[in-house]
Amino acid sequence: MSGKRELLDLVMIIDDHDISNFMAQQVIINSNIASRSVIQPAGFSAINYLKKYKDRKDFIPEVIFLDIDMPVLDGFEFIERFVKLPEEITAHCKIVILSAHDKMKEMKKWMDDGTVIYYIIKPLTPFILEEFKRSQAYRQLLK
């Protein structure tokens, strides 16, 4: 046995739309990408969750599927706060952007530093998630 994992342990979905959260969670479950998933309906609740569980690695997601267009604390502001969190969190957790619009240029800074590892134009579908699973970014997470 090689010891290589086939699934991520935990992923988080951050989106302010309940239907998008439900659909993303179903696609993630059916695509066998992770053993567990947690949904946060807003950037602030996600930051609070990460702070609360910073000492519990089993509660820190390996991937955050992050919607960019959210009220109050949008995805860009979430990332600005995320990178200031303790290293126990940021070293263990990477971000996949979910956006209805192509905002790749705005993400360049965080893609270059490795905070954001992948960019998906919504909706999240089984086909798109399979593309992510074949990516180098995903393979790196399983090491």
Side-chain angles (χ1 to χ4, degrees):
M1 185 168 233
S2 69
K4 184 180 175 190
R5 301 182 303 150
E6 293 186 23
L7 294 175
L8 299 172
D9 179 46
L10 178 65
V11 298
M12 178 184 284
I13 304 160
I14 306 173
D15 196 317
D16 60 311
H17 292 105
D18 292 339
I19 292 173
S20 294
N21 284 331
F22 175 77
M23 290 172 49
Q25 189 172 43
Q26 292 306 305
V27 169
I28 288 167
I29 289 168
N30 293 331
S31 297
N32 292 318
I33 196 169
S35 302
R36 303 177 295 140
S37 64
V38 61
I39 293 174
Q40 292 297 321
F44 281 118
S45 65
I47 292 291
N48 290 335
Y49 172 98
L50 294 168
K51 287 178 179 178
K52 178 179 178 180
Y53 292 111
K54 73 177 175 58
D55 296 321
R56 297 279 316 269
K57 191 174 178 181
D58 56 323
F59 282 88
I60 300 296
E62 292 171 273
V63 171
I64 295 173
F65 289 93
L66 175 64
D67 181 31
I68 290 295
D69 297 316
M70 295 185 290
V72 185
L73 184 72
D74 70 19
F76 298 112
E77 295 164 320
F78 172 86
I79 295 171
E80 290 287 350
R81 291 171 187 252
F82 173 83
V83 297
K84 294 175 184 171
L85 292 173
E87 189 175 353
E88 300 93 11
I89 298 168
T90 59
H92 180 73
C93 188
K94 300 300 176 190
I95 297 173
V96 172
I97 298 299
L98 294 174
S99 179
H101 310 286
D102 186 355
K103 296 189 178 182
M104 193 86 129
K105 288 179 186 171
E106 292 92 335
M107 290 291 120
K108 183 169 176 21
K109 172 175 114 177
W110 294 299
M111 291 187 90
D112 288 348
D113 78 7
T115 301
V116 174
I117 60 167
Y118 206 77
Y119 194 97
I120 294 172
I121 304 274
K122 285 182 173 183
L124 182 61
T125 65
F127 177 77
I128 290 171
L129 205 51
E130 283 302 317
E131 284 183 344
F132 173 58
K133 286 174 71 174
R134 288 191 300 271
S135 73
Q136 180 66 26
Y138 181 76
R139 288 192 300 273
Q140 289 293 113
L141 293 169
L142 295 176
K143 288 187 176 183

